[in-house]
Amino acid sequence: MSKVTGALRSVIDPRTYLQAFRLLHFASYSHVQQVRKLDRGMNVTFAPNVSFRNAERITIGEGTHIGEHSIIWAGNSTGRVIFGRKCLLAPHVTITASNYGTEPGAFIMDQAKIEQDVVLGSDVWLGANSVVLAGVTIGDGAVVAAGAVVTRDVPAGSIVGGVPAKIIGSRGGSSAPDEDGSRSDGTLHEEVSV
C-alpha cells in the first residue's frame, strides 16, 4: 500500500509539474529558440537535446553531426564557434568560446569573461565527453579522443587525447578528404578508433 501511496503523492505533487515546466522552458531557450539563429549548411544534424548559447555567433558547416547532450556555447559578445564541413561530434561534447578571468581579489563569477573564437576545420571528430576551450583551432581531419580537454591548437591530421590534450598519433594526412575519400595530398582517409 505504501508504494502506491508514494507513487500517487509524486503524481499529484505540484512540484512535479513545476519541474516539467522548467525542463520545457530550458528546452525552449537552450535549443528551440537558438536553432533559429544558427548559420548552418546543408545536411547538418544534431540531437534534439543539444544545448546552444548565443547561436547567432555559431556557424556549422554542411554535413556536420552533433551528438546527444552536447553543449555548444559562443561568447556573449564576440566569441564565435565555427565548424568546417562534415565534423562529427559524439555525445556529451562541450565547446565554449568564453571563459571567466581568474585574477585574485574578485570572485571568479564576477570577473569579466574572456572570449575567443573556437574554429574546427573540416572532417574533425570530437570523441564522447571531450571539451574544447576558448581560443582553440582544430585543423582539418584532426581527431580528439574521448574525454580529452583541448586547451591549445591541434594541427591538421593529428590525433590528440588526455587532459590537457596532447598529440598521441596522426591520421597520415593533413587535409580533409574529398568526396571520394581521397585527400588532396594523395593519402587515403584512414579509419581510427578512439
Side-chain angles (χ1 to χ4, degrees):
M1 188 68 137
S2 66
K3 286 185 180 182
V4 172
T5 303
L8 183 58
R9 279 189 191 152
S10 69
V11 170
I12 63 171
D13 186 340
R15 293 173 295 187
T16 301
Y17 299 97
L18 178 59
Q19 180 65 9
F21 176 77
R22 292 178 68 210
L23 290 170
L24 286 171
H25 176 62
F26 174 76
S28 176
Y29 78 75
S30 72
H31 185 88
V32 175
Q33 293 175 27
Q34 296 292 316
V35 167
R36 291 182 268 219
K37 300 174 188 176
L38 289 171
D39 176 8
R40 57 184 165 155
M42 299 289 291
N43 302 315
V44 169
T45 58
F46 41 79
N49 54 13
V50 172
S51 177
F52 297 102
R53 288 292 191 287
N54 305 310
E56 63 276 9
R57 282 182 288 288
I58 299 173
T59 302
I60 306 174
E62 73 172 88
T64 291
H65 173 75
I66 302 173
E68 295 84 355
H69 299 285
S70 290
I71 300 168
I72 314 298
W73 285 13
N76 290 336
S77 57
T78 59
R80 299 174 302 149
V81 178
I82 302 166
F83 293 82
R85 294 184 323 113
K86 294 201 173 188
C87 292
L88 177 61
L89 278 65
H92 298 276
V93 169
T94 299
I95 299 174
T96 181
S98 179
N99 269 326
Y100 285 97
T102 58
E103 295 300 318
F107 291 110
I108 290 174
M109 67 186 304
D110 294 335
Q111 295 192 31
K113 289 189 177 178
I114 302 162
E115 298 185 16
Q116 297 174 301
D117 294 351
V118 174
V119 179
L120 277 62
S122 294
D123 189 36
V124 168
W125 177 18
L126 302 181
N129 298 301
S130 59
V131 177
V132 179
L133 297 180
V136 167
T137 297
I138 299 178
D140 289 347
V143 175
V144 175
V149 178
V150 185
T151 60
R152 62 182 75 145
D153 292 353
V154 176
S158 296
I159 302 170
V160 299
V163 179
K166 296 181 180 1
I167 295 175
I168 58 174
S170 173
R171 290 182 66 195
S174 60
S175 61
D178 295 327
E179 294 300 320
D180 65 358
S182 66
R183 296 180 183 273
S184 58
D185 63 4
T187 61
L188 288 177
H189 177 74
E190 294 179 36
E191 300 252 346
V192 174
S193 177
V194 213

